[in-house]
Amino acid sequence: MTTATQTIAQPSKVNIGVYTNPKHELWVADALPTLESVQKGQDLKEGEVTVAIRSTGICGSDVHFWHAGRIGPMVVEDTHILGHESAGEVLAVHPSVKSLQPGDRVAIEPNIICHECEACLTGRYNGCERVLFLSTPPVPGLLRRYVNHPAVLCHKIGDMSYEDGSLLEPLSVALAGMQRSGVSLGDPVVVCGAGPIGLVTLLCCRAAGAEPIVITDIDEGRLKFAKELVPSVKTHKVAFSDTPQQTGEKIIAAADGEKMAVAVECTGVQSSVAGAIWSVKFGGKVFVTGVGKDDMTIPFARVNTQEIDLIFQYRYANTWPRAIRLVRSGVIDMKRLVTHRFQLEEAVQAFETASNPRTGAIKVQIQSLV
């Protein structure tokens, strides 16, 4: 048994989590660590802290694991806890932890890495060979009342709201894309997909000085939301009947004839990736943030003859400090993205809302504030 520093106020509610399984069921039930363990700090390992999760955003991947049971090779094979966009309050620390103390407000970076492989040692730990990414089967996620997590991956957020802290995860996805795609001042940019990641990417492109910016989607309501979020953005509703080449031409037309320097593709849908390829100029970039199917057909001749750089993204690395600075300073404000809020006990209703296009949900938050 280890001795851990405790909070003054002892937690009193049992730990619960949000589960799915191979039958695509969804429910709330008891979870680990137990309340007794949290109160005593007895299960903390070296370098770990216990965090009371206060706010968690539902990601599209959470819904996908529930509905489809898999994303590529990542398969739900047993009961599984969802959630990886979380912030909370430190309740207890292992004696080895010096960077955090009880009462600190933190955003949780939801991966546990080995610190030994080449990817980790070269700073690209999103490619860690032994990564444990919370909410990716079989690693349990953060949609719990309490979790134990490495202190080094719990980032202080000061007086930032827990809700904003949880939004640092999708912002990290967008920042990783911004850094590798190289969006610069005055670049014509198209963002494909007006879901949460696309909208956060839109905010980042505007902050970076891209101009003009076009955003695409198949849903008129989401495009309207994007226009309200960034009034200067130009929108294009993708028609199912259009070929990818026609989509690309219409994106260019929406930008008053400007071919795109960069396309940031946030859907992972084959037709959208292809449309993005047709929208960029000679030597342009198509940066794919979205997660798609295992195999995909692209207009190779277009990529080849136009020397288009087709680049892909897998999660993120070293983004949380940058994200915290951007939110704290007000350069990036994501508050309007949160459209619905539920208590942890209401998680099933929250997921039903997030997965139903008729609700108009953008980002649904699950909270456990008391």
Side-chain angles (χ1 to χ4, degrees):
M1 180 183 298
T2 60
T3 302
T5 304
Q6 298 292 312
T7 56
I8 296 174
Q10 287 285 304
S12 58
K13 291 187 175 182
V14 298
N15 198 7
I16 55 176
V18 183
Y19 291 82
T20 190
N21 62 14
K23 297 180 180 179
H24 312 295
E25 297 169 320
L26 189 73
W27 72 99
V28 178
D30 291 349
L32 295 176
T34 65
L35 174 60
E36 181 181 8
S37 170
V38 171
Q39 290 173 334
K40 295 180 179 179
Q42 60 188 16
D43 290 335
L44 279 175
K45 300 175 183 176
E46 185 173 352
E48 285 188 339
V49 297
T50 300
V51 180
I53 302 298
R54 300 304 189 196
S55 197
T56 300
I58 296 178
C59 177
S61 64
D62 294 319
V63 174
H64 207 73
F65 280 130
W66 167 35
H67 281 175
R70 67 182 300 155
I71 297 176
M74 299 168 284
V75 182
V76 177
E77 297 179 337
D78 203 341
T79 55
H80 178 62
I81 297 178
L82 299 164
H84 59 268
E85 302 178 4
S86 299
E89 177 186 4
V90 174
L91 294 182
V93 302
H94 187 276
S96 60
V97 173
K98 307 303 179 184
S99 59
L100 294 173
Q101 60 186 6
D104 282 342
R105 301 160 70 94
V106 296
I108 299 178
E109 189 169 349
N111 47 21
I112 301 173
I113 57 177
C114 74
H115 301 281
E116 296 176 352
C117 69
E118 180 180 357
C120 286
L121 294 176
T122 56
R124 299 185 68 182
Y125 58 82
N126 52 315
C128 175
E129 298 170 0
R130 287 173 280 173
V131 66
L132 301 176
F133 193 90
L134 277 66
S135 82
T136 295
V139 185
L142 291 171
L143 266 171
R144 288 176 272 174
R145 184 166 278 134
Y146 316 114
V147 299
N148 295 336
H149 199 65
V152 70
L153 296 169
C154 295
H155 302 276
K156 291 182 182 180
I157 58 174
D159 60 358
M160 184 186 301
S161 72
Y162 292 121
E163 194 164 271
D164 276 350
S166 72
L167 291 168
L168 295 173
E169 199 279 342
L171 177 55
S172 284
V173 175
L175 289 180
M178 294 294 292
Q179 186 169 2
R180 293 190 58 224
S181 65
V183 172
S184 300
L185 280 165
D187 278 347
V189 174
V190 61
V191 178
C192 301
I197 296 299
L199 292 169
V200 176
T201 299
L202 171 62
L203 289 171
C204 290
C205 288
R206 170 51 61 223
E211 180 62 33
I213 307 173
V214 179
I215 191 165
T216 70
D217 206 277
I218 60 173
D219 186 286
E220 191 67 49
R222 293 213 161 182
L223 291 175
K224 181 181 177 183
F225 187 95
K227 189 73 173 175
E228 293 170 352
L229 187 68
V230 177
S232 62
V233 73
K234 301 174 186 297
T235 63
H236 171 63
K237 183 179 179 181
V238 178
F240 289 105
S241 59
D242 281 350
T243 66
Q245 183 173 353
Q246 289 171 325
T247 297
E249 291 169 349
K250 290 181 179 180
I251 290 170
I252 295 168
D256 299 324
E258 289 274 5
K259 292 184 178 180
M260 301 295 104
V262 181
V264 186
E265 208 298 311
C266 300
T267 73
V269 175
Q270 176 176 291
S271 59
S272 183
V273 175
I277 289 170
W278 280 102
S279 75
V280 299
K281 66 182 182 180
F282 184 91
K285 295 180 183 178
V286 174
F287 190 87
V288 184
T289 298
V291 178
K293 58 184 182 180
D294 290 354
D295 298 294
M296 188 177 294
T297 300
I298 63 168
F300 176 83
R302 173 73 180 179
V303 174
N304 181 24
T305 61
Q306 296 297 300
E307 289 193 359
I308 295 168
D309 292 337
L310 182 57
I311 310 169
F312 296 86
Q313 175 178 338
Y314 186 61
R315 296 175 180 157
Y316 36 67
N318 306 303
T319 52
W320 253 259
R322 185 188 302 261
I324 290 168
R325 290 193 295 269
L326 288 169
V327 173
R328 183 174 290 158
S329 66
V331 172
I332 299 294
D333 185 354
M334 300 176 287
K335 292 182 178 64
R336 292 184 62 187
L337 299 181
V338 180
T339 54
H340 297 76
R341 297 171 179 85
F342 296 88
Q343 293 301 305
L344 182 57
E345 294 83 356
E346 303 170 319
V348 173
Q349 184 182 352
F351 269 80
E352 290 171 346
T353 300
S355 62
N356 185 351
R358 292 189 296 272
T359 65
I362 300 294
K363 179 58 69 175
V364 176
Q365 288 279 333
I366 296 177
Q367 301 175 331
S368 181
L369 296 177
V370 291

